[in-house]
Amino acid sequence: MRKLGKFIDSLRLHVKGGSGGMGYPKFGGVGGKGGDVYVEAVAEQTLSKTLRAEPEKRWQGGVGGNSRKVRILGEAGEDKIIPVPLGTAVRLDKFSTLGEVNKIGDKILVAKGGAGGSPLNQFNGQHGQALNLTLELKLIADIGLVGFPNAGKSTLLKAISRAKPKIASYPFTTVQPNIGIVEYPDKRQISMADLPGLVEGSWANMGMGHKFLRHVERTNLLLYIVDINGFKMGPQYPHRTAIENVILLNKELELYSENLLDKPCVLLVNKMDDDKTEEKLKRFLQEYSDLADLCHELPEEMQPQRLVKFDEVIPCSAKFNRDSVEYIKKRLRKWLDIYEDEINCHLTTTSAIKAEVDNKLREKSKKFV
């Protein structure tokens, strides 16, 4: 289990199906089947609530009833339901996943109950399946904020939504994911997830951000945030310019999962707080236009194999310029709507093609009748 404050995004459990009931050899009675254990997505659930429901972290199906004179067929054991939040993946180990629950009511069988006693097993009830599994939560949000520490992610989240993340002028003020709801005058709401800042090597379990990289997999759009002034983790680390941070973020996400590079994304150049930053922005945009060539000038370990394609680059001051924050709200909504329309159009086209193919197959089948 990984716990940061009150937030839990990983929980290891022991699950066991219920044992089957004993048979009744004299009358050929069959014992009841043991109860199964399921993981089910429940509204307004958290892994913290799951832990509180069973602090010992042991979930077991009910025992099947024994066969007896007054009941030849024993009662089936009661199934056990493990309630989990939306976006939970059920893993057996690092490389094996039983499944994911992404809609309310989604259910995964994780441990089968044992068979009841019968002539097939000498009337002895069988033990249920027993195994250890890990529940891993992947936050579901419309927009995921990614960036190195102190880039201003928490400041933006606070300015653009009702969330109240911890903010300070030092790295790693965000130690757990924060979800903010961005509201619009027409009552439209967009969810935004602020994740702990990445560091170089996050994909390989360095720093804190690697624990939360999986959360960005469930977002519809990624908002990369870099500090126009660049960033330096500490005295022993080199100072990275804003454009180098863009390249390194690209590299970190690529190393974790190349699929993240295919997500819609917008680049936010933050901390445009005074006139001095205007010159830095001009230089940044020039470097950005030659990004592919610039990558080849960097050490090989910093070079991504594939560059992410940003839909838009937006300069802003999340802390001091409210107009820039409002502009960001409008643009993020626009890009979400554009990509949602594209998905709906694709689904409609796919359905139409499928229907056309089905009609042709039916026409052909009639010819052979």
Side-chain angles (χ1 to χ4, degrees), residues 48-309:
S48 297
K49 291 182 180 179
T50 304
L51 177 61
R52 287 197 295 271
E54 188 57 64
E56 297 298 320
K57 298 183 284 187
R58 301 180 71 87
W59 296 77
Q60 182 170 338
V63 177
N66 295 332
S67 175
R68 49 203 184 276
K69 287 183 180 180
V70 296
R71 189 179 178 108
I72 295 299
L73 297 178
E75 305 92 334
E78 184 179 357
D79 292 338
K80 178 67 74 171
I81 303 295
I82 305 174
V84 299
L86 287 173
T88 299
V90 182
R91 303 181 69 88
L92 290 177
D93 54 46
K94 187 176 181 180
F95 303 104
S96 178
T97 302
L98 286 180
E100 299 179 354
V101 288
N102 297 316
K103 294 185 295 184
I104 298 298
D106 278 0
K107 189 184 291 188
I108 300 172
L109 174 63
V110 293
K112 293 182 179 179
S118 71
L120 297 176
N121 53 34
Q122 291 75 52
F123 297 95
N124 293 312
Q126 304 298 295
H127 293 299
Q129 286 182 319
L131 67 155
N132 296 315
L133 56 84
T134 300
L135 304 177
E136 286 191 350
L137 175 64
K138 297 180 179 181
L139 293 178
I140 299 177
D142 295 308
I143 300 171
L145 306 183
V146 292
F148 291 117
N150 218 33
K153 301 186 300 299
S154 297
T155 301
L156 175 67
L157 187 67
K158 182 178 180 181
I160 207 170
S161 74
R162 294 179 297 177
K164 296 181 179 179
K166 183 178 179 181
I167 300 172
S169 58
Y170 53 85
F172 296 127
T173 52
T174 300
V175 294
Q176 65 185 46
N178 292 300
I179 295 287
I181 302 298
V182 183
E183 296 184 340
Y184 294 85
D186 62 357
K187 306 304 181 182
R188 168 80 178 274
Q189 292 185 336
I190 291 173
S191 56
M192 182 178 286
D194 172 24
L195 308 177
L198 303 177
V199 299
E200 295 178 44
S202 288
W203 67 275
N205 289 358
M206 291 179 62
M208 297 172 64
H210 76 288
K211 298 177 181 178
F212 303 101
L213 273 171
R214 68 170 178 270
H215 292 307
V216 301
E217 296 181 71
R218 298 297 183 86
T219 57
N220 298 322
L221 182 146
L222 296 182
L223 182 60
Y224 290 64
I225 303 182
V226 295
D227 183 343
I228 188 61
N229 302 299
F231 174 70
K232 185 175 183 179
M233 180 70 69
Q236 69 274 34
Y237 294 91
H239 180 272
R240 302 296 190 191
T241 65
I243 199 66
E244 287 176 334
N245 285 333
V246 172
I247 297 170
L248 285 170
L249 285 173
N250 190 151
K251 180 70 173 180
E252 290 299 328
L253 269 63
E254 177 187 72
L255 289 170
Y256 177 75
S257 172
E258 286 192 33
N259 292 333
L260 294 178
L261 303 185
D262 296 321
K263 279 188 173 292
C265 59
V266 171
L267 174 59
L268 190 67
V269 183
N270 195 24
K271 301 194 178 181
M272 296 290 300
D273 300 339
D274 53 51
D275 294 337
K276 296 179 182 178
T277 55
E278 290 296 334
E279 284 300 319
K280 293 180 180 179
L281 179 64
K282 290 180 182 178
R283 185 163 61 252
F284 174 87
L285 294 175
Q286 179 59 47
E287 292 172 332
Y288 178 76
S289 65
D290 301 320
L291 195 58
D293 293 333
L294 181 62
C295 284
H296 295 304
E297 299 176 8
L298 298 175
E300 187 174 348
E301 63 272 14
M302 290 177 57
Q303 299 178 19
Q305 297 297 310
R306 180 158 66 95
L307 288 175
V308 66
K309 295 182 179 179

Side-chain angles (χ1 to χ4, degrees), residues 314-326:
I314 306 175
C316 85
S317 173
K319 188 174 183 179
F320 297 111
N321 191 329
R322 185 66 201 175
D323 289 341
S324 67
V325 173
E326 290 300 319

